[in-house]
Amino acid sequence: MVRDPERRAVLVDAAIEVLARDGARGLTFRAVEAAVGVPEGSASRCFADRDDLLGQATARIHERIAPDPGEVTAVMSAPPSRELVAELMRWINRRVAENRTGYLAMLELRLEATRRPELRAELARVIRATLHDDIRCHLEGGLPGDRTGVMLIYLAMTGLTLEQLTLPGVVVPDEEAEGLISALVDRAIGPEGEKERAS
């Protein structure tokens, strides 16, 4: 196997594009090579097998969909409030629309992980760590609501993301999304969340 980090990175990014476009079944070395116009056999020289490629795509996809740290700092500069939580969730929803390819590829990886135990273990590790960091940032940042409220918001936003990726505008019309997110935050945090942070 060739140790060429630049070529591997290009092929992994191409794999994410193929996943989003053709699904996990369409992810082959040849499809990835064709996506970037490299000679046949290039992928097999960079990855041990398809599972290796899927694992690399799992790690890379989180880098691609993660917000820029500077953007996070700017958004989090506002005083902690229920409205800030709602704005963070609206921001996530906008990011899904702006990076549709990355989120579709993530959805494909989740589906593929139901059939591949090794991929499931890696994906579970990455998602668990990300969720843990999100909960920690919420609580340490002084935002209203407790761990249960954050989990409820996460689960509801995951459902909204699924709807926006698979049936955009059908279940949740674009013009209703932001209002629904505000209602979601209000109900998940509840009046107790505001009192809890105020005391």
Side-chain angles (χ1 to χ4, degrees), residues 102-130:
Y103 284 94
L104 277 172
M106 174 56 72
L107 180 56
E108 287 292 338
L109 284 172
R110 281 178 173 243
L111 291 171
E112 187 68 6
T114 66
R115 297 178 283 272
R116 295 177 175 271
E118 303 83 10
L119 178 59
R120 184 181 185 282
E122 175 61 15
L123 193 57
R125 183 191 66 75
V126 171
I127 288 178
R128 196 175 289 123
T130 301

Side-chain angles (χ1 to χ4, degrees), residues 2-193:
V2 176
R3 299 291 180 196
D4 181 347
E6 286 184 22
R7 177 173 289 185
R8 280 175 70 92
V10 167
L11 291 169
V12 168
D13 278 334
I16 291 168
E17 299 295 321
V18 171
L19 273 170
R21 186 189 67 220
D22 301 331
R25 300 264 174 180
L27 183 67
T28 63
F29 280 177
R30 188 63 211 124
V32 170
E33 291 160 350
V36 290
V38 297
E40 192 169 341
S42 297
S44 62
R45 287 192 291 277
C46 291
F47 305 98
D49 52 28
R50 186 171 176 273
D51 286 338
D52 183 24
L53 178 60
L54 281 166
Q56 295 289 322
T58 300
R60 172 70 177 132
I61 205 165
H62 280 87
E63 294 172 15
R64 280 184 51 164
I65 65 177
D68 178 90
E71 291 178 41
V72 175
T73 300
V75 172
M76 291 299 290
S77 65
S81 66
R82 183 189 307 262
E83 179 50 35
L84 177 56
V85 177
E87 179 50 34
L88 287 168
M89 296 308 107
R90 288 191 291 266
W91 183 44
I92 289 170
N93 192 52
R94 290 190 297 270
R95 289 181 53 74
V96 171
E98 291 163 4
N99 192 359
R100 187 173 168 77
T101 297
Y103 284 94
L104 277 172
M106 174 56 72
L107 180 56
E108 287 292 338
L109 284 172
R110 281 178 173 243
L111 291 171
E112 187 68 6
T114 66
R115 297 178 283 272
R116 295 177 175 271
E118 303 83 10
L119 178 59
R120 184 181 185 282
E122 175 61 15
L123 193 57
R125 183 191 66 75
V126 171
I127 288 178
R128 196 175 289 123
T130 301
L131 179 57
H132 175 77
D133 285 346
D134 289 348
I135 292 170
R136 180 183 52 75
C137 287
H138 185 103
L139 299 177
E140 290 178 4
L143 292 165
D146 59 8
R147 184 182 186 283
T148 299
V150 177
M151 284 296 299
L152 290 171
I153 292 169
Y154 166 78
L155 292 169
M157 288 299 296
T158 300
L160 177 60
T161 296
L162 177 64
E163 294 297 335
Q164 301 292 59
L165 289 174
T166 58
L167 294 171
V170 175
V171 176
V172 182
D174 292 341
E175 65 274 10
E176 292 182 21
E178 295 205 355
L180 285 170
I181 289 170
S182 294
L184 158 66
V185 170
D186 285 347
R187 293 182 187 198
I189 290 174
E192 295 78 17

